[in-house]
Amino acid sequence: SHYHAWMRTLVYPAFDASACDNQLGSRAHRSTSQATHMVRAWLRWCRTCAASAAVLFVDVIAAFDEVMRELFLQRVPSLR
């Protein structure tokens, strides 16, 4: 929605400045495609070294909007 887009433009500079260097996605020049390449390279390295490996994928679509809504409206997060 328009409200979420507006809120994101206000908060994004602070988020980008405070995000960890390994934060991929939701940042300029750090897409989730880059994360895919990094994970595949790491898995190839593990296979080469005969090391065990596991990858956990977490789906956080629209998580930013939900967190910002909770923070700015100062509501108690609802259980869904």
Side-chain angles (χ1 to χ4, degrees):
S1 78
H2 178 70
Y3 170 76
H4 292 140
W6 172 77
M7 182 65 71
R8 191 176 184 107
T9 61
L10 293 177
V11 176
Y12 183 79
F15 162 74
D16 194 46
S18 64
C20 297
D21 287 338
N22 62 355
Q23 167 70 41
L24 300 170
S26 299
R27 296 182 73 189
H29 311 292
R30 294 181 186 218
S31 70
T32 53
S33 295
Q34 185 179 3
T36 300
H37 294 298
M38 291 171 66
V39 168
R40 287 181 174 194
W42 178 71
L43 289 172
R44 277 192 302 272
W45 179 83
C46 288
R47 190 178 321 124
T48 300
C49 297
S52 297
V55 179
L56 173 66
F57 292 95
V58 179
D59 185 1
V60 291
I61 293 174
F64 176 86
D65 295 333
E66 184 65 28
V67 169
M68 296 314 298
R69 188 178 309 118
E70 298 295 337
L71 287 174
F72 282 99
L73 298 179
Q74 301 211 4
R75 297 184 336 201
V76 175
S78 58
L79 296 175
R80 295 182 193 152

